[in-house]
Amino acid sequence: MSRMVKMSRVVSKNLFDFKPAGKVDDDVTAMFEKYEKMGEGIPEVLQMQERMKELLTKEDEESNREYLTLVRQHMQGMEPLLNSNPFYNGVSEQIVRTDLAVPTDHDGEFDVPVEVYTPKSLEGQSKRAAYIYAHGGGVIAMTAGSMSNPLCKFALDNDLVVFNVDYRLAPETKCPNNAKDFYEVVKHVHQNAESLGIDPAKICIAGDSGGGYICLATMVLLAQHDESEIIKLALPGIPMVDDYCFSDPLAMTVEERKDHLMMRKFWNYIAADWEAQKHDPLLFPGKASEELLEKFPPTIVMEAEFDMFITEATRLANRLRRAGRLLELVVIPGSTHGAGFICGVGAFNVFWDTMNTIAREYIHG
């Protein structure tokens, strides 16, 4: 049972104060227009997009199964875009890739697969900083491998051992068991830090988009079990936070309104029992109580000015600041959801410079 022990307030270094652009960067807009035009020339892609739009307003079981299949196919097609990037050239030759399997029993017996990326320069060393990561995909799609090259680059540039967690996806695995997969890996790394060559005082947990939700839900679990002290830094990026998508779309930003029906479907895939869980912070971390927020690990929330989760993520960041647990709220100007991972736009450079600064100042510092 949680003791609700209040933690001391964190002290921010106040490193980031980006000026809002007020509009999506022209190069980001051009990039997405380019991808849309590429799809226009492929009949199968157009048919998939039209069918997905049709299925958004249907709630029967068969339609939901079909929509899930199409979303997974669509996101699988994005994986080469995330990994095939000149920015990552030569990285793989400088990284040792190994596999780890973490045994769990919270939802049957299951070994959580983890890809481990270690810079060759760190081989044989002890007391290395760890970065434990949850991939995106709305918790319903994609794999750890979708982010392998970006994470290898991040490991190499910042002297980190990266643990890339292949947590189980919804709807086959429901809340809270997706997050518990990640939580068990975090606990495993901490408990076995010496044998893994990890400094237990330098463990960072992170994730983007759906992985940002996994990171946040893990923060809830850590707070509930009075274990947040094992984490030096939590870094949820462009995260799914709460049920804001179920509110009135007229009050939403353009990006939020555009994708609110899709996000409603995603949350319904994730929830095990909607009525029983609708106030549970393990499903919606943004609903964590003030007492629980005061026990979160030190946190940096990473956002994009025109992200589809900007309202809910900013609201949670403000609550964390009041609770004394927010180090930084970083909002990349002119950027949209995921643009920070696409080479060739200014937001990509700003994002990577920011992440490298965070690693230097908050993980190692």
Side-chain angles (χ1 to χ4, degrees), residues 24-171:
V24 178
D25 287 348
D26 291 340
D27 57 358
V28 173
T29 300
M31 174 191 67
F32 284 114
E33 288 178 348
K34 173 185 174 182
Y35 293 141
E36 287 179 7
K37 288 179 181 178
M38 289 170 61
E40 288 174 1
I42 306 173
E44 294 82 359
V45 173
L46 290 175
Q47 291 171 8
M48 176 187 291
Q49 292 173 344
E50 288 302 314
R51 183 56 179 160
M52 288 172 69
K53 289 178 183 178
E54 293 173 7
L55 292 168
L56 275 176
T57 56
K58 297 182 179 182
E59 293 298 335
D60 60 281
E61 189 173 336
E62 183 177 347
S63 295
N64 285 335
R65 280 199 302 268
E66 183 182 357
Y67 185 78
L68 176 67
T69 298
L70 293 176
V71 167
R72 286 177 170 173
Q73 290 175 356
H74 172 71
M75 290 192 180
Q76 185 178 7
M78 294 170 57
E79 293 193 15
L81 181 65
L82 294 170
N83 278 305
S84 301
N85 187 323
F87 186 67
Y88 310 132
N89 286 350
V91 169
S92 60
E93 291 83 2
Q94 303 176 67
I95 292 288
V96 176
R97 302 190 186 205
T98 55
D99 295 310
L100 180 67
V102 176
T104 67
D105 60 7
H106 53 267
D107 185 28
E109 293 187 358
F110 178 73
D111 292 346
V112 183
V114 184
E115 297 181 5
V116 185
Y117 313 137
T118 305
K120 289 181 178 179
S121 60
L122 296 183
E123 275 197 292
Q125 295 185 26
S126 60
K127 299 291 185 178
R128 302 170 299 184
Y131 186 81
I132 309 174
Y133 183 80
H135 67 83
V139 196
I140 67 169
M142 303 185 81
T143 65
S146 65
M147 288 294 291
S148 59
N149 283 348
L151 289 172
C152 285
K153 175 67 172 173
F154 188 59
L156 185 63
D157 286 354
N158 294 287
D159 293 330
L160 300 168
V161 177
V162 171
F163 296 83
N164 187 11
V165 182
D166 222 353
Y167 59 90
R168 283 173 287 183
L169 302 177

Side-chain angles (χ1 to χ4, degrees), residues 101-278:
V102 176
T104 67
D105 60 7
H106 53 267
D107 185 28
E109 293 187 358
F110 178 73
D111 292 346
V112 183
V114 184
E115 297 181 5
V116 185
Y117 313 137
T118 305
K120 289 181 178 179
S121 60
L122 296 183
E123 275 197 292
Q125 295 185 26
S126 60
K127 299 291 185 178
R128 302 170 299 184
Y131 186 81
I132 309 174
Y133 183 80
H135 67 83
V139 196
I140 67 169
M142 303 185 81
T143 65
S146 65
M147 288 294 291
S148 59
N149 283 348
L151 289 172
C152 285
K153 175 67 172 173
F154 188 59
L156 185 63
D157 286 354
N158 294 287
D159 293 330
L160 300 168
V161 177
V162 171
F163 296 83
N164 187 11
V165 182
D166 222 353
Y167 59 90
R168 283 173 287 183
L169 302 177
E172 293 83 1
T173 299
K174 296 281 193 174
C175 171
N177 293 316
N178 325 82
K180 284 186 175 180
D181 282 356
F182 189 79
Y183 167 79
E184 291 295 342
V185 173
V186 172
K187 293 292 296 296
H188 178 89
V189 171
H190 181 262
Q191 291 167 357
N192 296 276
E194 184 175 357
S195 63
L196 292 170
I198 298 300
D199 184 345
K202 290 186 178 180
I203 296 176
C204 172
I205 60 173
D208 291 299
S209 193
Y213 156 73
I214 294 294
C215 180
L216 284 170
T218 297
M219 294 158 66
V220 171
L221 285 164
L222 290 164
Q224 288 175 337
H225 292 90
D226 293 308
E227 296 168 329
S228 291
E229 72 280 354
I230 72 174
I231 302 302
K232 184 172 186 182
L233 175 67
L235 188 56
I238 49 174
M240 295 163 50
V241 178
D242 60 36
D243 56 356
Y244 180 67
C245 62
F246 290 89
S247 64
D248 188 344
L250 292 176
M252 297 178 182
T253 68
V254 171
E255 291 75 22
E256 292 165 345
R257 189 182 311 121
K258 175 177 176 288
D259 288 318
H260 79 284
L261 292 178
M262 177 186 74
M263 290 314 305
R264 289 180 182 182
K265 278 194 177 292
F266 283 20
W267 283 119
N268 278 310
Y269 289 134
I270 297 166
D273 184 328
W274 188 263
E275 283 303 310
Q277 293 179 303
K278 63 183 179 182

